[in-house]
Amino acid sequence: MSIDLYIRCRYYAFRGLPMASTFCNLISIGSGQKKLGHYLLNQNNNARQVSLACMPILTRHGFGCEWHCHRVPSSYVVQRSSSCHHKTESCLNRTHKRRLATQRRQCRCTSFKNGEEHLQSTSEVKTEEYISRATLIWRAIKLPIYCVALVPLTVGSAAAYLQTGLYSARRYFVLLASSVLVIAWLNLSNDVYDYDTGADTTKKESVVNMVGSRTGTLLAAYMLLALGFVGLAWVSVGAGNVRSMLLLACAITCGYIYQCPPFRLSYQGFGEPLCFAAFGPFATTAFYLLQSSTSELPITGTILSASLLVGLTTALILFCSHFHQVKGDRAVGKMSPLVRLGTEAGSTVVKVGVVTLYSLLLVLGLSRALPFACMFLCSLTLPVGKLVVSFVEENHKDKTKIFMAKYYCVRLHALFGAALAAGLVASRMIIERSL
């Protein structure tokens, strides 16, 4: 082997493995410039195979100039190419499988969400369908709602006691029974007229649906109204107070135009203002006047302030009673405030109403329109007010849970009214002791 060929072999060994193997193969066929050129020309078409087939394994024997390159068999080339093809194919298969798995997971997530929503709606339907008879009767009676008759009477009587130091238990209980009868008329007639408009067609706790007689329910409602009105008139005549009779007539009129045809102002969204006026300034002030033994009892700032607070908590009960009826009210054209605003904005209105209630209490207490005892005792009910706000904010979208919102408001109404009445009585007792 010539020195020139040795140098070239060393040079191509460092520059690239395929050329090194090519020069190494020349050892077996001889050397020379012409043979080298002829060999390179013949090997151009097989360059890729040579590069794959020839492994760069060079060995030197002794101290001579002979270098040997071990040529890999052609079967190895086939195996390597087939293995590369197999790896490429398996890689593509794995990518395709990953895509299919991702699509399946997405489909499962979507179907799971849809199934969850379906189960939730199904559970709501089942909850509405499978209500016990006892629960329906309890809802139809609406016993907690009758505290709206108790609170105005109690606060008005306490305000009269603060003013005069007098209290008539007989008048109190007659007025209480008469007020309960009037509230019963409101509930029954409301069921009848809502049934006529279709608002209570699917309402299972509706008295009309439970009894099965619209006419009988309506007759019973107006009989209760007549009895209640007789009781109120009897106490008014006994007290000799015409103003109280006029105020009570205004309160009953508000109840009539709220729900009865041809007015039905509740369908126009005026239910809450009418409720505020009927149970607040009208009824509370009338009961205040009826507890007096004379007809000259003055209408003071204390009774007016107390009646505003009572009216506000009563209107809050009515407002929250519409949360679970938005869909049905909208279907029959009953444009209650919640139908107009939506439940989310309605929850904000509840929060503003509760904040207004306690802010007004603070202002009236600091201005001495209400005794300090009233401000102190009523402020103790603040946790109940926060409970109402948080419950409505968390559950205003849940038709099943939000049904209880009005009962939370009833609790606030009852406790706030009791604290207000207790503050008025306590103030009178403090005055008598100081004398």
Side-chain angles (χ1 to χ4, degrees):
M1 186 178 190
S2 63
I3 299 300
D4 183 65
L5 182 60
Y6 172 74
I7 293 172
R8 288 175 181 274
C9 184
R10 293 282 295 179
Y11 173 77
Y12 286 110
F14 286 104
R15 287 290 304 271
L17 294 178
M19 293 302 296
S21 62
T22 303
F23 277 101
C24 289
N25 288 332
L26 291 176
I27 297 174
S28 60
I29 61 173
S31 62
Q33 296 288 340
K34 293 181 179 180
K35 291 186 177 181
L36 176 62
H38 180 71
Y39 182 80
L40 290 176
L41 183 63
N42 293 332
Q43 293 296 320
N44 283 336
N45 296 327
N46 300 324
R48 293 183 181 178
Q49 295 182 2
V50 170
S51 63
L52 289 172
C54 183
M55 298 294 293
I57 305 174
L58 299 176
T59 58
R60 181 178 180 182
H61 298 284
F63 297 94
C65 298
E66 293 185 357
W67 289 76
H68 296 279
C69 180
H70 301 284
R71 184 178 181 85
V72 179
S74 60
S75 61
Y76 180 76
V77 178
V78 176
Q79 291 177 1
R80 287 292 303 271
S81 62
S82 62
S83 64
C84 291
H85 175 72
H86 177 70
K87 289 181 180 179
T88 304
E89 185 177 0
S90 63
C91 181
L92 291 175
N93 289 335
R94 284 197 299 270
T95 304
H96 181 63
K97 289 179 180 179
R98 287 195 200 101
R99 290 178 180 175
L100 289 177
T102 303
Q103 292 176 358
R104 286 178 187 142
R105 281 196 298 270
Q106 292 175 352
C107 290
R108 283 196 209 104
C109 291
T110 305
S111 62
F112 177 76
K113 290 180 181 178
N114 294 335
E116 190 177 23
E117 293 175 357
H118 176 69
L119 288 176
Q120 184 177 1
S121 61
T122 304
S123 63
E124 290 180 359
V125 171
K126 288 184 177 180
T127 303
E128 292 294 328
E129 287 180 355
Y130 299 103
I131 300 176
S132 64
R133 185 73 176 177
T135 303
L136 290 177
I137 293 174
W138 174 259
R139 289 184 180 182
I141 294 174
K142 302 175 183 176
L143 189 60
I145 302 297
Y146 286 89
C147 76
V148 300
L150 180 63
V151 170
L153 174 60
T154 304
V155 172
S157 300
Y161 179 76
L162 173 64
Q163 186 69 25
T164 62
L166 301 175
Y167 170 73
S168 174
R170 186 181 67 174
R171 288 183 183 177
Y172 179 87
F173 286 106
V174 172
L175 290 173
L176 179 60
S178 302
S179 300
V180 168
L181 293 173
V182 173
I183 299 299
W185 160 73
L186 282 172
N187 289 333
L188 291 178
S189 60
N190 182 67
D191 284 352
V192 171
Y193 296 124
D194 280 349
Y195 178 82
D196 291 342
T197 59
D200 285 355
T201 304
T202 59
K203 187 177 179 182
K204 295 185 181 242
E205 64 267 22
S206 173
V207 177
V208 178
N209 291 330
M210 294 181 65
V211 175
S213 175
R214 175 197 177 278
T215 305
T217 304
L218 187 61
L219 288 176
Y222 279 99
M223 286 179 62
L224 293 173
L225 175 62
L227 291 174
F229 188 80
V230 168
L232 296 175
W234 180 75
V235 175
S236 299
V237 172
N241 197 309
V242 179
R243 290 181 299 172
S244 63
M245 193 64 197
L246 292 176
L247 290 173
L248 289 173
C250 290
I252 294 174
T253 303
C254 287
Y256 185 87
I257 64 177
Y258 162 75
Q259 61 190 2
C260 300
F263 305 101
R264 287 178 179 164
L265 295 184
S266 62
Y267 281 69
Q268 306 302 322
F270 297 110
E272 282 71 17
L274 291 171
C275 182
F276 171 82
F279 291 95
F282 291 153
T284 306
T285 306
F287 293 141
Y288 160 79
L289 295 173
L290 289 176
Q291 277 291 333
S292 173
S293 57
T294 64
S295 60
E296 299 300 328
L297 190 63
I299 298 178
T300 62
T302 300
I303 184 58
L304 291 178
S305 300
S307 66
L308 291 177
L309 298 176
V310 171
L312 188 57
T313 55
T314 309
L316 195 60
I317 296 174
L318 179 61
F319 184 84
C320 288
S321 67
H322 294 306
F323 270 102
H324 69 289
Q325 298 176 338
V326 172
K327 186 176 180 181
D329 289 346
R330 183 182 290 112
V332 298
K334 186 176 182 179
M335 303 304 295
S336 65
L338 281 171
V339 172
R340 298 177 185 273
L341 299 175
T343 57
E344 187 171 358
S347 64
T348 304
V349 172
V350 172
K351 184 176 182 179
V352 171
V354 173
V355 171
T356 302
L357 175 67
Y358 288 97
S359 301
L360 188 59
L361 172 67
L362 181 63
V363 170
L364 294 175
L366 294 178
S367 64
R368 295 186 179 181
L370 287 175
F372 177 78
C374 294
M375 183 178 68
F376 174 74
L377 293 176
C378 290
S379 63
L380 297 179
T381 65
L382 186 59
V384 184
K386 292 176 64 177
L387 178 63
V388 171
V389 173
S390 61
F391 180 82
V392 173
E393 286 182 341
E394 293 173 2
N395 303 293
H396 66 88
K397 293 183 180 179
D398 192 331
K399 181 180 176 182
T400 304
K401 292 182 179 179
I402 200 62
F403 177 82
M404 296 299 297
K406 62 181 178 182
Y407 292 109
Y408 282 97
C409 292
V410 168
R411 188 183 304 177
L412 174 63
H413 176 68
L415 293 176
F416 193 92
L420 186 58
L424 293 171
V425 173
S427 299
R428 179 66 189 188
M429 296 174 67
I430 293 173
I431 292 174
E432 289 180 352
R433 286 186 179 182
S434 63
L435 296 176

